[in-house]
PDB file of all heavy atoms in Angstrom:
ATOM      1  N   ALA A  28      18.409 -13.767   3.196  1.00  0.00           N
ATOM      2  CA  ALA A  28      18.310 -15.085   3.820  1.00  0.00           C
ATOM      3  C   ALA A  28      17.102 -15.871   3.304  1.00  0.00           C
ATOM      4  O   ALA A  28      17.215 -17.073   3.020  1.00  0.00           O
ATOM      5  CB  ALA A  28      18.231 -14.935   5.337  1.00  0.00           C
ATOM      6  N   GLY A 245       9.618 -11.500  10.095  1.00  0.00           N
ATOM      7  CA  GLY A 245       9.011 -10.181  10.202  1.00  0.00           C
ATOM      8  C   GLY A 245       9.488  -9.426  11.428  1.00  0.00           C
ATOM      9  O   GLY A 245      10.399  -9.862  12.143  1.00  0.00           O
ATOM     10  N   LYS A 578      15.790   8.947  25.480  1.00  0.00           N
ATOM     11  CA  LYS A 578      16.232   7.651  24.956  1.00  0.00           C
ATOM     12  C   LYS A 578      17.707   7.660  24.556  1.00  0.00           C
ATOM     13  O   LYS A 578      18.185   6.713  23.921  1.00  0.00           O
ATOM     14  CB  LYS A 578      15.366   7.259  23.753  1.00  0.00           C
ATOM     15  CG  LYS A 578      13.898   7.063  24.087  1.00  0.00           C
ATOM     16  CD  LYS A 578      13.671   5.863  25.000  1.00  0.00           C
ATOM     17  CE  LYS A 578      12.197   5.601  25.228  1.00  0.00           C
ATOM     18  NZ  LYS A 578      11.966   4.400  26.061  1.00  0.00           N
TER      19      LYS A 578
END
Side-chain angles (χ1 to χ4, degrees):
K578 297 294 185 177

